[in-house]
Amino acid sequence: MNERESGGPGHDVSGHDVSDGYDYVVVGGGTAGCVLAARLTEDPDCRVCVIEGGPSDVGDENVLRLRNWINLLESAYDYGYTTTEQPRGNSHIVHSRARVLGGCSSHNTLISFLPFPEDLDEWVGMGCAGWDPVTVLPYRRRLQNTIVPVGEADRNPIAKDFVTAAAEALHVPVIEDFNRRPFPDGAGFFSLSYDPATNHRSSASVAYLHPVLDRPNLTLKLETWAHQLLPAADGRLTQVRVRYADGSTGTVRAERELLLCAGAVDTPRLLLLSGIGPANQLRALGIDVRADLPGVGENLLDHPESVIIWETHGPLPPNSAMDSDAGLFVRRDTTQPRPDLMFHFYQVPFTVNTERLGYPTPPYGVCMTPNVPRARSTGRLWLRSADPAEHPALDFRYFTDPDGHDERTIVEGLRLAREVAGTAPLRDWLRREIAPGPGIRSDEGLSEYGRRAAHTVYHPAGTCRMGAADDPLAVVDPLLRLRGQDGVRIVDASVFPTMPSINPMVTVLLAAERAADLITGRPGPTPEGSER
């Protein structure tokens, strides 16, 4: 590290102007940015600067202790983006985006799934050559995170009984390790990126950056917010305007490439503020158009879910990794190899949305959250103004797919959750159903409740999607290079052309590991026939 601030480890306070350039500038010290910074600085002659809008997570128990994740939502560690009016969904969802080193891997529950091979096959079918499962999945051998099934000491008895009841009621297998091989359905404890002995995260920052913070070729600019990309003298888009914590501004220059890793909200936001996006929208805001790229901000994806809540007979045993340690996957369409319905089982009553609808909050409770793995509703993101400080508009258009797939998935999920809850040994814990309540049984009633109580698992993606040269809405090519601009790549969930069926953090890690090879020209891991 070139210079350190007395306030904490890993802070850089070098000049606030273009006094020094770097080989690579990584915009966003989140899940992907940490991987790139660590991998690129393995070459001691390669100078890397990471620009991160939030503070360091080093030594911060609020962040490092996994079970504290729920207290990070809508806190000083959260940008807290709101959604636009959702006529068929819940308009009150706050989309938490992490404001801390490590990004959402320092903020989320660290549920860790390899993507299904078919998820990656879909990408290839959309023109993303080189992102097939035989190429991508072997990168799991390079991941530095400690990814393990929930530790035995963290396995709460009611979560164990949920797994048993789900397997019995729905005739699915109990899965000991969801990452051992692809699965069509099953119930079990999740794999998490954490240390079961300490409950500390094995986030991207902990796993990749903390061990290398003393590298002299690595510079972190924390509490530093990037708001505009600028061309250098050679015309390449390799400079970024930033605002520092003290309110001063400066420009940081990349001599090789800018690597945008700010996530599916802030990466397209940065492009739009820089005049790259749908030209008519930009002109209407008075932003000079640098490039008419109509796909920037389009294809906004998410994993929507709803909730069904039960009061328990009394308090639950206290042990847990992060209060949502077990889950369930169901395959309703047996012609397909992947599950099409997912449940998280929360060992706390998640009532943030049901209270708004007038439902009581039980003193003790649990819930299941039916989730749509491959939602067919897609939305868009756009700027409300040219003011960099104003949050963008996020319109996920939840439950608007024309064939009703997403709505139907939630309704069927609520029904299946009741079957699990009515099966021993889980039923012996439960006193009564709180929301939606046993009186709501029709498809129409369950749909109305399910959509109004819907929430997010905080998985926005797709807003700078990767695609072939003839894809009019593709923003990056399969080498992750920004279309029509020299010097910029995007490496985060915004490049996903479709949403992985499962929690996407590991897919981001794999993409970042692959991106490091694409950037440096290093060979990837040897393909394995067993990956398919």
Side-chain angles (χ1 to χ4, degrees):
M1 193 71 61
N2 294 337
E3 294 185 67
R4 291 174 188 255
E5 194 174 278
S6 60
H11 292 234
D12 174 74
V13 291
S14 57
H16 286 186
D17 54 27
V18 191
S19 56
D20 294 303
Y22 305 87
D23 292 299
Y24 296 98
V25 174
V26 178
V27 180
T31 305
C34 289
V35 175
L36 289 180
R39 291 305 186 198
L40 294 174
T41 56
E42 289 174 348
D43 176 359
D45 296 324
C46 180
R47 299 160 302 150
V48 175
C49 176
V50 178
I51 297 171
E52 166 55 39
S56 175
D57 65 327
V58 175
D60 188 341
E61 285 293 315
N62 288 321
V63 173
L64 296 178
R65 191 166 61 85
L66 175 57
R67 201 174 182 185
N68 192 52
W69 71 271
I70 201 165
N71 294 317
L72 302 179
L73 304 179
E74 300 183 51
S75 73
Y77 300 98
D78 185 358
Y79 286 112
Y81 294 122
T82 56
T83 51
T84 63
E85 184 72 21
Q86 300 293 298
R88 289 188 53 77
N90 177 5
S91 303
H92 303 279
I93 295 173
V94 176
H95 263 268
S96 294
R97 299 283 85 200
R99 183 186 167 275
V100 64
L101 191 64
C104 289
S105 72
S106 289
H107 207 268
N108 63 18
T109 57
L110 288 177
I111 296 171
S112 299
F113 286 102
L114 290 167
F116 291 113
E118 295 79 15
D119 293 337
L120 299 170
D121 285 335
E122 285 182 357
W123 292 11
V124 175
M126 296 178 68
C128 302
W131 291 86
D132 55 277
V134 171
T135 301
V136 173
L137 290 178
Y139 278 95
R140 66 185 179 186
R141 301 196 302 270
R142 292 193 183 173
L143 297 182
Q144 294 186 188
N145 313 71
T146 301
I147 297 176
V148 293
V150 168
E152 184 59 40
D154 289 331
R155 297 192 175 200
N156 193 293
I158 195 170
K160 290 183 177 181
D161 286 351
F162 159 78
V163 171
T164 301
E168 174 68 22
L170 303 182
H171 309 291
V172 299
V174 173
I175 296 181
E176 296 301 328
D177 183 351
F178 281 106
N179 289 316
R180 186 170 299 161
R181 62 181 64 88
F183 54 89
D185 50 26
F189 282 88
F190 294 133
S191 287
L192 307 180
S193 187
Y194 88 129
D195 179 356
T198 63
N199 195 243
H200 274 191
R201 294 175 177 273
S202 182
S203 62
S205 52
V206 169
Y208 282 87
L209 274 194
H210 289 194
V212 302
L213 285 174
D214 59 352
R215 283 179 178 167
N217 56 334
L218 172 63
T219 299
L220 298 186
K221 291 183 180 289
L222 300 174
E223 303 276 6
T224 301
W225 191 61
H227 59 87
Q228 187 181 26
L229 306 182
L230 298 170
D234 60 4
R236 300 172 70 238
L237 199 62
T238 51
Q239 298 189 133
V240 58
R241 290 289 292 170
V242 300
R243 186 185 69 236
Y244 296 96
D246 63 5
S248 64
T249 60
T251 304
V252 185
R253 183 181 78 251
E255 295 181 358
R256 298 185 189 177
E257 288 185 287
L258 277 179
L259 306 174
L260 305 187
C261 305
V265 174
D266 281 311
T267 287
R269 178 190 189 184
L270 178 57
L271 291 178
L272 294 168
L273 288 168
S274 306
I276 300 170
N280 290 339
Q281 293 180 34
L282 297 174
R283 291 192 187 102
L285 296 174
I287 297 174
D288 292 337
V289 178
R290 177 178 178 86
D292 183 10
L293 267 187
V296 176
E298 298 295 325
N299 192 45
L300 178 58
L301 309 173
D302 194 17
H303 281 141
E305 69 177 20
S306 193
V307 64
I308 180 168
I309 303 171
W310 291 268
E311 181 180 2
T312 57
H313 287 293
L316 304 181
N319 59 313
S320 177
M322 50 77 183
D323 294 310
S324 179
D325 303 327
L328 165 67
F329 292 87
V330 176
R331 182 179 58 157
R332 296 168 300 153
D333 182 355
T334 56
T335 67
Q336 298 297 317
R338 294 169 290 178
D340 51 23
L341 178 59
M342 178 186 180
F343 299 79
H344 299 77
F345 179 72
Y346 282 87
Q347 294 149 222
V348 291
F350 190 67
T351 60
V352 64
N353 293 313
T354 55
E355 288 175 5
R356 189 181 298 110
L357 301 178
Y359 289 96
T361 298
Y364 312 107
V366 295
C367 59
M368 297 183 214
T369 55
N371 175 288
V372 188
R374 291 181 299 282
R376 297 179 185 174
S377 304
T378 60
R380 55 183 287 261
L381 169 155
W382 68 92
L383 296 182
R384 300 178 189 270
S385 78
D387 180 358
E390 185 168 359
H391 283 183
L394 305 180
D395 181 7
F396 287 87
R397 302 188 73 242
Y398 291 122
F399 307 109
T400 59
D401 58 302
D403 67 356
H405 166 269
D406 298 355
E407 174 184 4
R408 189 165 56 252
T409 300
I410 292 297
V411 170
E412 293 177 13
L414 293 170
R415 293 192 185 283
L416 292 179
R418 284 173 168 168
E419 290 187 32
V420 174
T423 302
L426 179 60
R427 70 183 178 206
D428 299 331
W429 292 86
L430 307 180
R431 180 183 175 199
R432 58 172 178 149
E433 181 183 314
I434 294 290
I440 297 181
R441 309 204 70 83
S442 68
D443 286 353
E444 294 78 9
L446 290 173
S447 172
E448 175 70 15
Y449 162 82
R451 289 182 288 107
R452 292 181 69 197
H455 203 61
T456 175
V457 206
Y458 310 106
H459 295 162
T463 46
C464 295
R465 85 180 191 205
M466 174 171 43
D470 60 356
D471 180 350
L473 293 180
V475 176
V476 297
D477 68 11
L479 299 180
L480 305 178
R481 299 173 300 192
L482 181 62
R483 175 178 282 181
Q485 302 294 315
D486 191 19
V488 182
R489 294 191 209 228
I490 300 176
V491 188
D492 56 34
S494 70
V495 305
F496 292 179
T498 60
M499 178 68 84
S501 302
I502 39 62
N503 304 57
M505 183 188 71
V506 172
T507 307
V508 175
L509 293 169
L510 296 173
E513 287 277 10
R514 174 155 169 71
D517 286 348
L518 295 175
I519 292 163
T520 61
R522 293 182 297 202
T526 304
E528 297 177 356
S530 62
E531 299 297 337
R532 299 305 307 271

